[in-house]
Amino acid sequence: MTDPVTLYDVALSSRLLLGTARYPSPAILAESIRASGCEIVTVSLRREAGGARAGEAFWSLIRDVGARVLPNTAGCRTAKEAIATAQMAREVFATDWIKLEVIGEEDTLQPDVFGLVDAARALSDDGFKVFPYTTDDLVVAEKLLDAGCRVLMPWAAPIGSGRGVNDAFALRALRAHFPETPLIVDAGLGAPSHAALVMEMGYDAVLLNTAVSRAGDPVLMARAFALAIEAGRAGFRAQPMTPRDMAEPSTPLIGRPFDRLA
Amino acid sequence: MSATTLQMLLDELGYDEKTVGTALNQEFVRAKDRAETRLREGDAVEIVTPRQGG
């Protein structure tokens, strides 16, 4: 495996994590996962009427695909709800990985960072490997690491907005401030170029859902994102040139025809 | 509903217990504790199953 990313001691060759919601059909979901080459998919827990089998059918599909699952606590509004959801997820999905979401505001689905830190601490103490969905705030990031998180997942823009990077400065600052912590951009990306950009900044991975599932051709978009992430990562490792304000000829001037010595 | 324990409620409602998670009044209840978890009037029971998520 060349250039793997390591998340909680698990080495992965793909730097794309894919959400499983809002695809046109289960078949397109499965094909998109395969086309993306991702090794981790996010899943959730929801109420279901007794006797219904939608949850079981979905879980069977995910197990067939063979990806590692990262359950989320999507929709939770308090640390208490998130903790109970994480505990249920650990039992149902048989994993101690949890994508921790504590939502604080409905229009932006912005994390309640106070509840997030509280829940992250409780879950880390209970043996969970927490992937916190957070903002790009440096102080919150520090507190999440203090709480026991060893991966951070800052947003680029509100969930499902497809806006791309809202604050490139903040994301660059976060990257610079935590050079050793795996950082995954989670939420807000819409186009493959957005993913390439954050990978060029040095982000370790990207978590996507709506950008793929609501594309006209989700399978093709899954592949496009995979290529963009790979390209962005290679671009980062290759160390891009420093931008300049003035032009600089790329073709040597020495020996230029029609040149007249003064 | 005539169930007096969480396990009886799951059976009554027809859930496959292997693929559900349970909570009572926002506290997680482990699968192995369901049979001993008694239900009272006004309890908030959550029964969840795997679903698509982002």
Side-chain angles (χ1 to χ4, degrees):
Chain A
M1 197 186 294
T2 58
D3 188 33
V5 58
T6 302
L7 305 174
Y8 285 105
D9 302 322
V10 175
L12 303 153
S13 56
S14 169
R15 292 171 178 269
L16 195 167
L17 292 76
L18 194 60
T20 56
R22 308 180 72 194
Y23 288 78
S25 72
I28 291 176
L29 163 62
E31 212 179 321
S32 298
I33 294 170
R34 291 193 189 96
S36 75
C38 77
E39 293 159 272
I40 298 174
V41 295
T42 54
V43 294
S44 73
L45 288 172
R46 285 290 179 266
R47 290 175 186 159
E48 179 175 65
R53 289 287 178 261
E56 216 170 280
F58 168 69
W59 187 213
S60 168
L61 180 150
I62 293 300
R63 279 180 298 198
D64 287 348
V65 167
R68 179 181 286 268
V69 296
L70 175 60
N72 69 28
T73 64
C76 290
R77 292 182 183 79
T78 65
K80 188 179 172 71
E81 286 177 9
I83 290 166
T85 302
Q87 290 168 323
M88 290 191 285
R90 180 163 60 180
E91 188 176 77
V92 171
F93 294 110
T95 176
D96 53 9
W97 284 20
I98 191 73
K99 174 183 163 177
L100 182 61
E101 293 184 36
V102 182
I103 298 302
E105 205 280 319
E106 286 304 316
D107 288 334
T108 59
L109 297 179
Q110 180 165 339
D112 168 1
V113 295
F114 304 99
L116 181 69
V117 171
D118 288 346
R121 182 173 293 106
L123 291 170
S124 296
D125 289 349
D126 190 20
F128 281 90
K129 296 180 172 68
V130 179
F131 294 67
Y133 164 62
T134 184
T135 66
D136 48 31
D137 188 290
L138 288 179
V139 179
V140 172
E142 195 77 68
K143 290 191 183 303
L144 287 166
L145 296 177
D146 288 346
C149 299
R150 283 156 58 202
V151 171
L152 298 175
M153 301 212 297
W155 67 353
I159 294 171
S161 68
R163 292 175 52 84
V165 176
N166 259 356
D167 190 343
F169 172 79
L171 285 184
R172 287 186 200 281
L174 198 65
R175 180 68 285 180
H177 204 74
F178 301 102
E180 304 301 329
T181 304
L183 298 179
I184 301 170
V185 168
D186 176 11
L189 302 185
S193 55
H194 301 156
L197 174 64
V198 298
M199 294 306 291
E200 284 173 19
M201 288 180 184
Y203 275 78
D204 294 281
V206 166
L207 198 163
L208 300 165
N209 190 336
T210 313
V212 171
S213 65
R214 305 305 273 187
D217 183 340
V219 178
L220 186 56
M221 190 58 86
R223 182 72 187 132
F225 266 102
L227 292 170
I229 288 165
E230 199 178 323
R233 174 65 185 173
F236 168 72
R237 294 177 72 207
Q239 303 165 35
M241 64 169 283
T242 306
R244 296 165 50 93
D245 288 332
M246 303 298 287
E248 184 179 36
S250 50
T251 304
L253 288 178
I254 296 169
R256 179 170 66 95
F258 314 117
D259 202 8
R260 296 286 179 274
L261 293 174
Chain B
M1 295 291 158
S2 57
T4 55
T5 69
L6 186 52
Q7 185 60 56
M8 287 170 70
L9 181 66
L10 289 174
D11 295 342
E12 200 169 303
L13 295 175
Y15 284 99
D16 175 354
E17 62 185 79
K18 286 193 287 293
T19 53
V20 301
T22 50
L24 183 64
N25 300 322
Q26 290 196 16
E27 299 283 351
F28 170 57
V29 179
R30 294 178 297 182
K32 62 179 183 178
D33 295 336
R34 288 172 191 155
E36 283 78 48
T37 301
R38 303 198 72 77
L39 300 180
R40 294 176 182 81
E41 191 69 30
D43 274 347
V45 176
E46 288 292 349
I47 303 168
V48 293
T49 64
R51 201 61 55 84
Q52 297 84 348

